[in-house]
Amino acid sequence: MPSPPRINLKTLAEHLGLSITTVSRALKDGPEVKPDTVARVKQAAATLGYLPDAGGVYLRTGRTMKICSVFFAPEVADYGDAGFLAQVEGVSRTLETDSYNLIVLAQTASQSPLETVRRVFQQRLADGIIFSRTTPMDERARFCLEFKFPFVSFGRTELHSPHAFVDHDDEGGVYDAVTRLAAEGHKRIALFNPTGGMTYAGFRLRGYQRALADLGLPWDRSLLVTSPLSVWASQAAMGDLLARDTGVTAIVCANQLSMFGAMDAAQEQGRDPAQGDLRIIGFGGMPFRMPFEQGVTYYYQPQRRDGEELARHMLALLQGEPAESLQTVLPYQRIDDLQRFRTDLRTQAMAEARRP
Amino acid sequence: MPSPPRINLKTLAEHLGLSITTVSRALKDGPEVKPDTVARVKQAAATLGYLPDAGGVYLRTGRTMKICSVFFAPEVADYGDAGFLAQVEGVSRTLETDSYNLIVLAQTASQSPLETVRRVFQQRLADGIIFSRTTPMDERARFCLEFKFPFVSFGRTELHSPHAFVDHDDEGGVYDAVTRLAAEGHKRIALFNPTGGMTYAGFRLRGYQRALADLGLPWDRSLLVTSPLSVWASQAAMGDLLARDTGVTAIVCANQLSMFGAMDAAQEQGRDPAQGDLRIIGFGGMPFRMPFEQGVTYYYQPQRRDGEELARHMLALLQGEPAESLQTVLPYQRIDDLQRFRTDLRTQAMAEARRP
DNA sequence: CCAACAAATCAAAACGTTTTGGATTGTGCG
DNA sequence: CGCACAATCCAAAACGTTTTGATTTGTTGG
């Protein structure tokens, strides 16, 4: 049983008794071809299921019609950050409107971040790239700038040349959190920060220190804890802190996973957030349901919207818009009552689902 | 400031004073080229950062060196299934060994599943495709079989032609769960199943009914609840069930999200799994920490390993191995004590992290 | 010294597409 | 009728790569 032949412009042209040129033109409504023929060609293309070969189109036009988003896989070692999928959905849906495809490249532990970007550029895997874990002097950003390769970074840099980015206001978020904790009477507030030299860790620290200064609280180096953001690593780091410093009454966590880690550590040390033994502040995307939601304030960022913004910037870049005008810093939304927030979202989603 | 020129075989050849042919051959250690020249070419390629243009290679060889994995985006509407990322990592890492790239295509709500597969095939976006949400008469599988397009389905079909797949033993898992619940004294055990006609829903039902029959329990249609697997949808469906049938003492959930939904629903109905008011059985990947872990038995499936198996099958297919020999059904691992399981995994992971 | 042969390199074709520049036909007008 | 011109269509080139077949150079044996 031979498989049906693959349809390309040549076979389509032969089947119609036309030239390749005419068929190609007809498919994009070229004015030089008789309306009659256009209809006939489109009809045949539809029934035969013709779609242009992406490799061929690229070779001729230089455009792959693909955008690459880099997925940092080592972080998935234990739990994955579910929020990335929401971001992927946002990116994908937005790109779709301009008939771009998203390709997600997994950055495994064995490749350097720059290698991945270089490969995308040099092998022409995509027309542009989106990456996160951005550092102040990000080498990937520098590479893209040098080779004029379109990119949007999730996170700011400190590079001189302007470039497109989407970021969260981590400085503002942490400042707000610390201020409120102090108002509640907390004196020893720990800040949990990721390792890896990401720019936003610096913003978080700045917000923390600025709040302390404004509040007249002392800056204590030992209250700054840094570790990878996996559940286990942050649990270990948090456990260390809580064991060596029993005076800590509040922790400002980084992402959702580190919040889980903090909770596990608190429980292990016999401190129950639900009983008010420890205040936990979380940051991140749509929060999963947790054991101790009462003692938690959460700074929320809808990651699907992040993805949409990233994609919009990318599409604008490809349209030739200047990068200067494609820089977004999104505020966090503070949630004091997670339970209520959840039910509100639910009723909202149910209502949306009802009217399609 | 002009950007550096892109390096291709032509520029590389000119730069070396050689022909394109010789450079191409040298880069793949062709025996017809002088060892001296090979070294010179490779040196130049490395310093100039040459990598072959993927589009050009494809056009000539017919191989894109890419594998596509379809991501079902509508499910992310509220919470995403973090496990998919673990699977992606597994696939990606395994493909890497044969220098294949993974591209993740997001299947949004606006495209039919078949359309996505057809596009990958016809536009030549990849050399093979991996998809999930497999149905007994899966049209995507039928399409791939007809056109002899390599694919591995995550989930079985009932098609006559054999094809490669990876699946879990859902029938066995549910049978085991129901049997144990009955041994604990439960009489009214609800089964939660996904909508969408996926094959594994049928296996789950079969395991459920077989267990009931073996145990001499009656089959009660009203104990079978079907709904989409998002947190909110399953909470609503579970709420309905618990409200209309107060005799239910145990629920066999589908994935992790539906388990969260069931817990929310239980709480809403004033039934506390921690107090033994309701037994909840979960299925899925690495479980997030939950409010009521005491009343939960979890059937675990390491999704990274699923990904690795999917990728291995795909690579084998592309090597020409027959699909008959590429069919895997993986057993679930029952976890009665989630707390202990978690700490075990943690110590294990920490030990691994210590010796790199 | 020349034929025969191996070693090393190269020119050209092909993949599927778009586009440039022609070619062919049909129509209107002087 | 003959010419210009529009309306259609088509051949060929180009993109970057691999591979087939040919060509050049160097070496060996008679």
Side-chain angles (χ1 to χ4, degrees), chain A residues 144 155 158 202 207 212 243 263 282 289 294 318 342:
Chain A
C144 291
E158 290 173 4
L212 290 183
M263 290 184 163
R289 195 131 190 300
Q294 299 86 342
L318 294 172
R342 228 181 281 281

Side-chain angles (χ1 to χ4, degrees), chain B residues 172-182 189 252 281 283 297 299 334:
Chain B
V174 170
Y175 183 92
D176 186 74
V178 173
T179 307
R180 289 176 173 264
L181 288 170
I189 303 166
V252 180
I281 310 296
F283 280 79
T297 294
Y299 288 80
R334 187 182 60 246

Side-chain angles (χ1 to χ4, degrees), chain B residues 16 26-29 37-48:
Chain B
L16 284 160
L27 288 173
K28 30 187 68 62
D29 287 307
T37 318
V38 171
R40 206 159 57 91
V41 170
K42 284 193 169 177
Q43 167 66 27
T47 59
L48 293 180

